[in-house]
């Protein structure tokens, strides 16, 4: 993976292991490489313990990689002290000074850099304006809501005008309504400032709604990188298909030169995605999204409907196909006659079935 001139961050073959109490080690990062485009919003997504936060801490300088290299706009930084790196981090806990006012919290890093008082005042005012906290500079953190405290933490980080802003699950402590509002705020801030944002989250919806690109982590490795739509529609592995959104994972076998599903039969050729990997010989694994499973009601249908529930304007159904179950989701207007205990026929939407790595 070659770095490009437009890369803000270039991460090359980074590995990091931590000792265990038993005397062994656990590999948090295993030969990770990633390019983050300048001025973009990159999301590091994965379950707890997958390595995404460790990579963020290596970029910030809070951890040192065992091997590999991290470059910031062409300059190697993995051996540079934390305070000399042109990156800033916003933590989940906000880490505000409770005895300081909002203005004092935002100004703190600038004062440590010994900037002139006039310049500090201008940067603080600009940062508070960016996060829409103008007029609240005299309050202390205890006098603010959780969302406002998060904005102060963002203002403090933005005031130093970093090349890259690192965000370590910054919204996880907020309730659902506040979180959604702050997601929009973060996207607005990134677009207005043109600063490169790198966000760590385990929330798939958050990642898909916020990132220009998403890097999916599993067991210390990046298993797929791409735009949210690409990662959702074209998962490369069973893990990605299953972790992001909902997916049906089906075992596929070759039969007479074509592909078949046990208990179903031959799969029509048009069901396969045009860019799906070659089926090859033997057993493979395929993924298909519930919205691409089409059900047709009929008393003589081949397959029993285990459950059919209307949620909003959609029907969510589970159908028994041989030894497996298939989840299906389709608009209520197209679900006439489909009900729990009934029978139906099943088809895949053209181009929706995709071979994935097991």
């Amino acid at each position: 993976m070659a770095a490009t001139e437009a890369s803000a961050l270039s991460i090359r073959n980074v590995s990091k292991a931590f000792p265990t109490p038993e005397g062994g080690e656990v590999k948090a990062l295993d030969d990770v490489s990633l390019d983050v485009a300048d001025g973009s919003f990159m999301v590091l997504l994965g379950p707890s313990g997958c390595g995404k936060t460790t990579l963020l801490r290596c970029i910030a300088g809070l951890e040192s990689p065992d091997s590999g290299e991290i470059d910031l706009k062409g300059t190697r930084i993995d051996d540079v002290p934390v305070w000399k790196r042109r990156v800033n981090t916003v933590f989940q806990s906000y880490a505000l000074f409770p005895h300081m006012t909002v203005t004092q919290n935002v100004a703190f890093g600038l004062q440590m850099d010994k900037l002139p008082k006039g310049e500090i005042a201008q940067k603080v005012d600009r940062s508070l304006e960016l996060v829409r906290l103008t007029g609240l500079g005299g309050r202390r953190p205890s006098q603010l809501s959780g969302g406002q405290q998060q904005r102060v933490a963002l203002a403090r980080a933005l005031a130093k005008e970093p090349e890259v802003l690192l965000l370590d699950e910054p919204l996880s402590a907020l309730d659902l309504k506040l979180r959604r509002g702050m997601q929009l705020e973060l996207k607005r801030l990134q677009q207005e400032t043109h600063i490169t944002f790198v966000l760590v989250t385990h929330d798939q919806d958050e990642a898909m709604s916020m990132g220009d690109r998403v890097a999916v982590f599993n067991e210390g490795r990046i298993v797929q990188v791409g735009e949210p739509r690409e990662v959702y529609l074209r998962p490369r592995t069973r893990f990605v298909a299953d972790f992001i959104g909902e997916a049906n994972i089906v075992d596929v076998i070759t039969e007479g030169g074509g592909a078949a599903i046990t208990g179903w039969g031959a799969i029509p050729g048009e069901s396969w995605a045009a860019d799906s990997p070659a089926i090859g010989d033997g057993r493979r694994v395929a993924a298909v999204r519930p919205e691409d499973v089409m059900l047709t009601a009929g008393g003589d249908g081949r397959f029993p409907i285990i459950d059919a529930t209307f949620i909003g304007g959609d029907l969510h159904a589970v159908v028994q196909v041989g030894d497996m179950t298939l989840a299906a989701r389709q608009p209520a207007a197209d679900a006439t006659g489909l009900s729990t205990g009934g029978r139906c026929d099943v088809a895949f939407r053209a181009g929706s079935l995709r071979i994935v790595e097991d």
Side-chain angles (χ1 to χ4, degrees):
M1 186 191 300
T4 65
E5 291 183 3
S7 291
L9 277 173
S10 181
I11 296 156
R12 291 288 167 271
N13 309 111
V14 168
S15 293
K16 177 69 177 178
F18 294 100
T20 64
E22 298 77 21
E25 68 173 26
V26 58
K27 205 158 199 177
L29 295 172
D30 187 4
D31 197 33
V32 169
S33 294
L34 179 68
D35 279 316
V36 181
D38 190 23
S40 69
F41 200 134
M42 171 66 78
V43 177
L44 311 183
L45 172 67
S48 297
C50 68
K52 58 189 187 296
T53 295
T54 300
L55 180 60
L56 197 82
R57 289 175 64 84
C58 286
I59 297 169
L62 303 175
E63 298 285 355
S64 297
D66 298 332
S67 59
E69 182 176 322
I70 301 173
D71 292 352
L72 176 63
K73 293 195 172 180
T75 300
R76 184 168 180 174
I77 63 168
D78 51 272
D79 54 357
V80 171
V82 176
W83 58 90
K84 291 187 178 181
R85 301 188 186 197
R86 295 284 295 158
V87 302
N88 257 11
T89 307
V90 176
F91 298 99
Q92 178 180 338
S93 63
Y94 313 149
L96 301 178
F97 297 111
H99 62 287
M100 293 184 179
T101 65
V102 167
T103 294
Q104 289 168 339
N105 266 281
V106 176
F108 182 79
L110 303 173
Q111 291 169 342
M112 292 299 98
D113 290 342
K114 298 182 179 179
L115 297 182
K117 288 185 178 180
E119 185 177 348
I120 290 175
Q122 289 180 352
K123 287 179 180 289
V124 169
D125 288 346
R126 170 58 178 155
S127 297
L128 291 178
E129 181 183 353
L130 272 173
V131 300
R132 297 176 178 172
L133 286 180
T134 300
L136 298 183
R139 295 191 184 182
R140 298 188 188 277
S142 61
Q143 298 172 309
L144 303 174
S145 68
Q148 289 172 327
Q149 290 180 40
Q150 179 61 271
R151 290 168 190 261
V152 176
L154 284 166
R156 182 175 59 186
L158 292 169
K160 294 195 66 172
E161 300 175 350
E163 298 283 0
V164 176
L165 183 63
L166 307 174
L167 301 130
D168 187 9
E169 304 214 39
L171 309 183
S172 59
L174 304 179
D175 63 39
L176 181 60
K177 185 176 181 180
L178 272 177
R179 192 183 313 140
R180 288 179 174 166
M182 283 304 300
Q183 288 171 4
L184 295 175
E185 284 296 293
L186 283 174
K187 290 184 71 172
R188 176 187 66 81
L189 283 169
Q190 194 277 322
Q191 291 165 0
E192 285 189 15
T193 62
H194 304 291
I195 293 172
T196 304
F197 279 27
V198 180
L199 169 76
V200 161
T201 183
H202 62 272
D203 186 313
Q204 300 95 323
D205 291 339
E206 187 168 281
M208 303 301 276
S209 66
M210 296 180 69
D212 298 324
R213 289 171 66 79
V214 177
V216 185
F217 281 69
N218 186 34
E219 297 181 343
R221 288 180 170 270
I222 295 177
V223 291
Q224 188 166 348
V225 182
E227 296 178 1
R229 177 180 173 84
E230 175 189 355
V231 173
Y232 181 80
L233 293 178
R234 300 181 179 87
R236 295 178 187 167
T237 68
R238 175 199 284 258
F239 173 82
V240 174
D242 200 38
F243 185 73
I244 297 179
E246 186 180 359
N248 295 292
I249 306 296
V250 297
D251 293 321
V252 177
I253 59 173
T254 58
E255 187 175 280
I261 297 175
T262 302
W264 177 309
I267 302 169
E270 64 268 19
S271 298
W272 294 100
D275 60 346
S276 181
I279 295 173
D281 296 327
R283 294 184 176 273
R284 300 295 298 276
V285 176
V288 61
R289 299 293 183 185
E291 60 267 29
D292 293 322
V293 178
M294 301 180 293
L295 309 182
T296 305
D300 57 349
R302 291 181 61 192
F303 308 111
I305 303 173
I306 298 173
D307 182 69
T309 304
F310 286 93
I311 301 177
D314 289 339
L315 172 75
H316 292 231
V318 179
V319 180
Q320 188 73 45
V321 178
D323 294 332
M324 70 176 179
T325 57
L326 280 179
R329 186 165 63 246
Q330 60 192 66
D334 300 332
T336 304
L338 296 171
S339 60
T340 302
R343 299 189 69 84
C344 66
D345 288 314
V346 180
F348 297 131
R349 195 178 305 279
S352 64
L353 198 61
R354 178 176 298 277
I355 293 290
V356 294
E357 297 174 21
D358 198 1

